[in-house]
């Protein structure tokens, strides 16, 4: 596992939130590792076997040959495959554009409902010889098979395209699992040992949960990264320091933030001023801010101009004064609060960090 203070230009991967979510990534093998939910096993299957059957063996995939320059790999991250609402085909085209532009890290999830399109874009560029499969870092977060099966039996799913994948009760709150996330982690470790994935990690873990995982007796693989919401309105200083002190890298999602007191982060006067001083866009300032904190960044876009803009962040550097001014914007404004999961025993945001 690379140390947490490695150059962030080599991006890493995200993985599980609580006992009901599994994640995995691969640097060789199939661009799309996840089978459709309907092909996953019934819930009476053993935990390890249930997980394995939702993945294709890497040996069944045949990456094409191609070349990739060093400059193409100098990427903070890619994540055009994040939860970006788009009509069919747009995600595939965005992935192809991103690969041509130099992105090599794609952050996916079953919840985003676009992994087939992501895989189509990747396969196209591999076939063209524009990139090799082993040059790509593809992360995903598949749901536990029990959730898939139980959801199909419930009539309480909301109309939201991602919420409807969850089993909900009459109050539209998630029906919690009593599974210990340490048991889930053991099943994920088995995926690494059997060669189905290359690395595993966590997402939205607070420092107490991460400490419990790191102190797990018989731990075979440490989490490679903790994927968390992070932007100047939620700087996550304490959690980032904790993760990096334990050699767990941090991946920032929603790096462009949202609104605080009616002002969008990207329109904040401080961000606007710094962007003007450097001749860069506000988005580029926000991405560069995370890179200089040694945090991996996963912005998302399907717009070609934004895809290109988001990677043009290696030709300038923020001053310490810039960094301090941006850090001063912290409001502890959490945008992703997952309110329908607040009744879960592993809900991570009940403590400070």
């Amino acid at each position: 596992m690379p140390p947490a203070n490695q150059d962030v230009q080599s991006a890493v991967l995200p993985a599980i939130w609580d006992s009901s979510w599994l994640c995995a990534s691969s640097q060789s093998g199939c661009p799309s590792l996840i089978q459709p939910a309907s092909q996953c096993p019934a819930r009476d299957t053993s935990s390890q076997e249930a997980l394995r059957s939702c993945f294709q063996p890497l040996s069944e995939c045949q990456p094409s040959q191609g070349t990739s320059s060093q400059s193409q790999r100098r990427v903070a991250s890619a994540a055009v495959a994040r939860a970006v609402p788009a009509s069919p085909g747009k995600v595939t085209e965005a992935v192809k554009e991103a690969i041509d532009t130099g992105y090599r890290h794609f952050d996916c999830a079953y919840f985003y409902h676009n992994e087939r399109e992501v895989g189509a874009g990747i396969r196209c560029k591999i076939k063209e010889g524009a990139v090799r499969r082993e040059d790509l870092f593809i992360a995903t977060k598949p749901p536990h098979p029990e959730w898939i099966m139980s959801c199909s039996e419930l009539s309480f799913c909301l109309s939201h395209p991602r919420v409807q994948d969850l089993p909900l009760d009459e109050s539209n709150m998630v029906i919690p699992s009593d599974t210990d996330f340490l048991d889930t982690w053991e099943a994920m470790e088995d995926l690494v040992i059997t060669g189905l994935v290359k690395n595993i990690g966590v997402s939205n873990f607070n420092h107490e949960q991460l400490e419990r995982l790191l102190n797990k007796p018989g731990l075979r693989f440490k989490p490679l990264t903790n994927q968390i919401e992070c932007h100047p309105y939620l700087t996550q200083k304490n959690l980032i320091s904790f993760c990096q002190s334990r050699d767990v890298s941090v991946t920032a999602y929603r790096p462009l933030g949202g609104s605080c007191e009616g002002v969008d982060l990207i329109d904040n006067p401080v961000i606007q001023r710094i962007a003007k001083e450097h001749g860069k866009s506000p988005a580029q300032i926000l991405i560069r801010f995370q890179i200089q904190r040694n945090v991996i960044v996963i912005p998302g876009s399907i717009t070609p101009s934004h895809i290109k803009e988001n990677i043009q962040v290696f030709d300038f550097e923020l001053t310490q004064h810039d960094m301090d001014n941006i850090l001063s914007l912290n409001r502890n404004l959490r945008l992703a609060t997952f309110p329908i999961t607040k009744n879960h025993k592993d809900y991570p945001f009940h403590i400070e960090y």
Side-chain angles (χ1 to χ4, degrees):
M1 181 184 75
N5 62 356
Q6 73 167 24
D7 184 31
V8 194
Q9 292 164 349
S10 58
V12 240
L13 115 100
I16 107 187
W17 171 32
D18 61 27
S19 57
S20 300
W21 287 94
L22 311 172
C23 328
S25 88
S26 165
Q27 286 178 309
S28 63
C30 294
S32 179
L33 293 177
I34 311 306
Q35 296 177 356
S38 60
Q39 296 179 16
C40 284
R43 69 177 102 174
D44 58 358
T45 312
S46 67
S47 175
Q48 281 80 1
E49 290 304 315
L51 294 183
R52 291 193 192 99
S53 63
C54 285
F55 291 81
Q56 296 175 348
L58 300 185
S59 59
E60 293 180 7
C61 306
Q62 301 296 326
S64 300
Q65 296 301 309
T67 59
S68 177
S69 67
Q70 182 67 22
S71 62
Q72 285 178 313
R73 290 194 292 267
R74 291 173 61 82
V75 178
S77 65
V80 294
R82 287 188 62 78
V84 181
S87 58
K90 284 195 174 182
V91 171
T92 295
E93 292 306 310
V95 169
K96 289 157 65 174
E97 177 75 30
I99 290 175
D100 287 340
T101 303
Y103 289 90
R104 295 295 180 265
H105 175 185
F106 293 87
D107 176 64
C108 309
Y110 172 84
F111 247 20
Y112 302 163
H113 288 209
N114 61 9
E115 289 189 315
R116 185 178 297 276
E117 290 190 64
V118 173
I122 291 171
R123 287 182 186 277
C124 178
K125 300 315 287 185
I126 289 176
K127 186 176 181 179
E128 288 179 6
V131 69
R132 297 175 301 171
R133 177 61 184 86
E134 53 266 36
D135 294 329
L136 301 177
F137 204 107
I138 302 172
T140 192
K141 299 170 284 288
H144 193 290
E146 287 188 11
W147 275 39
I148 297 171
M149 296 302 152
S150 59
C151 184
S152 66
E153 298 168 2
L154 294 170
S155 59
F156 308 118
C157 292
L158 299 180
S159 59
H160 192 285
R162 292 180 294 280
V163 170
Q164 67 184 4
D165 293 318
L166 301 177
L168 306 177
D169 63 18
E170 294 88 343
S171 301
N172 287 327
M173 297 293 288
V174 164
I175 299 174
S177 164
D178 59 1
T179 306
D180 191 317
F181 64 75
L182 296 186
D183 294 331
T184 301
W185 188 258
E186 287 187 12
M188 292 172 64
E189 289 178 317
D190 287 345
L191 296 177
V192 179
I193 291 172
T194 55
L196 296 176
V197 299
K198 291 289 187 181
N199 301 284
I200 51 178
V202 299
S203 181
N204 294 320
F205 266 42
N206 60 42
H207 80 284
E208 291 180 356
Q209 292 169 328
L210 186 57
E211 180 75 11
R212 180 169 179 254
L213 175 56
L214 292 171
N215 292 334
K216 176 185 178 297
L219 184 71
R220 293 173 286 175
F221 297 100
K222 289 177 64 174
L224 190 64
T225 201
N226 187 10
Q227 188 187 76
I228 59 176
E229 178 185 347
C230 188
H231 44 77
Y233 285 160
L234 183 68
T235 56
Q236 299 274 26
K237 183 178 179 180
N238 290 335
L239 183 54
I240 289 173
S241 295
F242 175 81
C243 290
Q244 294 179 342
S245 72
R246 301 302 302 270
D247 286 336
V248 176
S249 67
V250 174
T251 302
Y253 68 78
R254 292 203 177 185
L256 305 186
S259 297
C260 181
E261 298 177 352
V263 178
D264 286 343
L265 175 58
I266 211 158
D267 295 324
N268 184 282
V270 173
I271 303 299
Q272 290 279 332
R273 173 180 57 78
I274 295 174
K276 185 176 180 180
E277 290 173 353
H278 288 275
K280 291 291 184 177
S281 71
Q284 289 171 322
I285 297 300
L286 295 174
I287 293 169
R288 182 70 201 184
F289 166 69
Q290 300 293 3
I291 292 173
Q292 290 186 210
R293 304 176 79 199
N294 202 31
V295 169
I296 300 150
V297 200
I298 49 174
S301 178
I302 60 169
T303 306
S305 61
H306 291 166
I307 291 171
K308 293 175 181 177
E309 176 185 301
N310 289 346
I311 201 174
Q312 295 170 348
V313 291
F314 298 110
D315 57 352
F316 76 105
E317 187 170 333
L318 299 174
T319 67
Q320 187 58 52
H321 184 64
D322 293 333
M323 295 293 290
D324 291 341
N325 282 337
I326 296 174
L327 285 167
S328 72
L329 298 176
N330 183 51
R331 303 291 184 270
N332 291 321
L333 177 66
R334 188 179 299 280
L335 303 171
T337 60
F338 311 106
I340 65 171
T341 68
K342 286 185 177 181
N343 59 332
H344 198 290
K345 63 182 177 61
D346 293 323
Y347 185 76
F349 307 139
H350 290 314
I351 66 173
E352 182 181 355
Y353 71 96

